Amino acid sequence: QVQLAESGGGLVQAGGSLRLSCAASGRTFSSYHMGWFRQAPGKERDFVAVINRNGGSSYYADSVKGRFTISRDNAKNTVYLQMNSLKPEDTAVYFCAATTYYSFGRDPKHYDYWGQGTQVTVSS
């Protein structure tokens, strides 16, 4: 069992930056690949980024590539999402999630555990 808790969301102007954190409970954090997803009102939950167990590999949605960076610290049981050059279309609730399927990391159906989400609002 893994419990996840996101933090770091807020209101930021376009062009600004935010760093999201996701703290995991339990001693099995390093067994999971970790992903970030986002969901805007009235829309489906979309893939943002995923990082593998040891932090050595990651991939991103095209919409955030070059602006967002996912990282993790297994000693702190935490995964991060650094978001730069934010745009109003990045406004959403951001969720972290844990999966054992790195290759299928874009698909939310392959994730076993989810956090409650943190709101990110980007004003124009």
Side-chain angles (χ1 to χ4, degrees):
Q1 189 82 8
V2 177
Q3 293 184 322
L4 303 172
E6 302 93 339
S7 61
L11 174 64
V12 63
Q13 288 189 330
S17 297
L18 280 176
R19 188 196 197 202
L20 306 184
S21 299
C22 172
S25 66
R27 289 177 283 182
T28 60
F29 176 71
S30 60
S31 299
Y32 290 91
H33 313 298
M34 297 299 298
W36 285 97
F37 287 77
R38 65 187 183 186
Q39 188 166 19
K43 296 189 176 182
E44 294 185 347
R45 192 167 295 190
D46 290 333
F47 168 75
V48 175
V50 64
I51 190 167
N52 72 343
R53 293 186 183 98
N54 64 15
S57 180
S58 60
Y59 55 91
Y60 299 84
D62 287 344
S63 58
V64 306
K65 202 174 296 183
R67 300 188 298 124
F68 291 11
T69 303
I70 189 171
S71 61
R72 68 189 295 164
D73 185 338
N74 285 347
K76 295 183 178 180
N77 280 9
T78 302
V79 61
Y80 305 97
L81 186 68
Q82 177 67 43
M83 305 186 295
N84 298 329
S85 302
L86 282 161
K87 305 175 182 179
E89 51 263 44
D90 294 319
T91 295
V93 177
Y94 283 70
F95 299 88
C96 66
T99 182
T100 56
Y101 296 100
Y102 183 67
S103 295
F104 299 104
R106 297 178 184 273
D107 190 343
K109 295 192 297 291
H110 289 288
Y111 284 78
D112 300 311
Y113 302 103
W114 292 85
Q116 293 299 307
T118 185
Q119 176 71 47
V120 171
T121 303
V122 184
S123 63
S124 57

